[in-house]
Amino acid sequence: MDLKLTGKTALVTGSTKGIGRAIAESLAAEGANVIINGRTMPAVEQVSAEIMAKFPHIKALAAPFDLSVEKERQELFELFPEIDILINNMGIFEPATFSELELDDWRYYFEVNSLAGLALSNFYLPKMLKKDDNGRIIFIASEAAIMPSAEMPHYSMTKTMNLSLAKTLSWETRATSVTVNTVMPGSTLTEGVVNMLLKLYPDLSPVEAEKKFMATNRSSSVIQRLIRPWEIGNFVCFVASPLAGAFSGEALRMDGGLVPTIF
Ligand code: NAD
């Protein structure tokens, strides 16, 4: 299938590793130019070079900015005033119980996981609407958006906010070819998750540790394995395609059955 992404320009926030990098690679494989974002120039340059070596027909451009900081967002906007696709992927997470969290922790999670994506959308959506050529905004939330986790209440709250925001932004796109949607991955095998498994089960092999983690900590998952980043990457790439123009304001689950809904 030709996803008709050749020549489009996509900004993937937080794309130096994990799910963001996988999304950037899927888009590059389909012929889109990708703007790689992380907080340091060396990391961003390295990933851009690796992606261009793998997909020499596209451009991978460097955006070394901490997008939770207003001043750095302005620098991004000056460097890249127009894009076709915005993937609000960047996000932070670490376990903490409600009683351990201070107000400043909640504030920081809000700044990184919610407000940054809102600010980027505020800047790019009006331009996409004006161009009216299949512009796309996709938020990467989490199953925690609809099944809040007691392990990460602050994270869960910010992910629910992604859903609400994407829905209201989608109404702004009425009768245009632009869409705004959310993708909700379940537990995915990124570097952070690998490290967590190593800490939890130092004596088990990676395969055994994954099995035990799923059976113990993610027992409602039907697939009983961690999702691979490329699976999310390919799905997001499809949603970003002009072929997926009938998804609007949707909260799209890709969680291996982790959220125990009937339908
Ligand atoms: P990760 O930690 O592997 O990668 C995060 C990326 O974001 C990195 O490139 C990092 O440099 C970048 N980043 C972090 N803060 C930044 C900032 N302030 N400015 C710019 N870049 C910043 O994360 P991941 O596991 O790939 O998760 C990506 C997204 O997917 C997050 O929004 C996360 O909530 C969501 N998600 C992850 C999982 C999972 O199991 N890994 C499950 C559901 C949802």
Side-chain angles (χ1 to χ4, degrees):
M1 196 188 320
D2 172 8
L3 293 184
K4 311 239 178 281
L5 287 165
T6 304
K8 302 261 184 202
T9 299
L11 165 62
V12 185
T13 68
S15 44
T16 55
K17 53 185 177 161
I19 292 174
R21 178 172 177 155
I23 296 170
E25 290 210 15
S26 293
L27 289 164
E30 289 299 320
N33 299 313
V34 286
I35 302 171
I36 301 300
N37 163 248
R39 281 155 295 176
T40 68
M41 186 53 122
V44 166
E45 272 183 339
Q46 189 186 331
V47 172
S48 305
E50 285 169 9
I51 291 184
M52 277 203 288
K54 209 164 160 187
F55 307 105
H57 51 297
I58 63 104
K59 275 189 260 166
L61 306 154
F65 303 114
D66 181 338
L67 297 178
S68 67
V69 177
E70 172 62 21
K71 192 175 142 288
E72 300 203 26
R73 286 197 290 266
Q74 292 305 327
E75 289 175 46
L76 170 89
F77 298 154
E78 272 168 38
L79 200 55
F80 301 108
E82 298 269 347
I83 57 172
D84 300 297
I85 297 163
L86 167 63
I87 312 288
N88 284 315
N89 164 76
M90 164 189 118
I92 49 170
F93 46 93
E94 66 181 351
T97 60
F98 183 80
S99 60
E100 285 165 350
L101 291 164
E102 304 286 343
L103 267 189
D104 277 346
D105 299 319
W106 291 84
R107 216 168 262 131
Y108 184 57
Y109 267 70
F110 171 67
E111 293 273 348
V112 178
N113 289 0
S114 306
L115 194 68
L118 166 62
L120 296 184
S121 306
N122 266 349
F123 181 78
Y124 288 116
L125 183 58
K127 291 164 182 263
M128 288 182 189
L129 293 175
K130 198 166 171 209
K131 195 170 171 193
D132 197 5
D133 184 18
N134 294 289
R136 296 279 178 268
I137 298 181
I138 302 172
F139 288 83
I140 307 301
S142 159
E143 91 285 348
I146 52 171
M147 189 172 72
S149 156
E151 286 167 9
M152 298 194 279
H154 50 339
Y155 173 77
S156 304
M157 180 195 77
T158 61
K159 292 296 172 179
T160 309
M161 286 173 141
N162 292 163
L163 294 188
S164 172
L165 177 60
K167 190 69 184 174
T168 51
L169 287 178
S170 75
W171 295 330
E172 300 291 313
T173 69
R174 193 176 178 81
T176 73
S177 61
V178 180
T179 66
V180 183
N181 290 288
T182 307
V183 169
M184 295 185 286
S187 300
T188 303
L189 191 61
T190 56
E191 218 175 280
V193 175
V194 170
N195 292 336
M196 181 190 71
L197 290 181
L198 279 172
K199 264 193 214 158
L200 272 177
Y201 312 113
D203 302 327
L204 296 186
S205 72
V207 174
E208 288 168 334
E210 181 176 347
K211 265 195 183 155
K212 180 143 189 193
F213 174 76
M214 295 307 294
T216 318
N217 297 57
R218 297 290 183 270
S219 60
S220 62
S221 159
V222 178
I223 61 174
Q224 280 299 295
R225 64 170 178 82
L226 291 160
I227 299 163
R228 269 43 186 176
W230 61 264
E231 296 181 278
I232 308 289
N234 285 344
F235 180 53
V236 171
C237 192
F238 177 71
V239 180
S241 155
L243 302 193
F247 290 116
S248 175
E250 303 279 359
L252 302 163
R253 287 173 49 197
M254 194 183 203
D255 61 17
L258 184 60
V259 178
T261 52
I262 297 169
F263 298 112

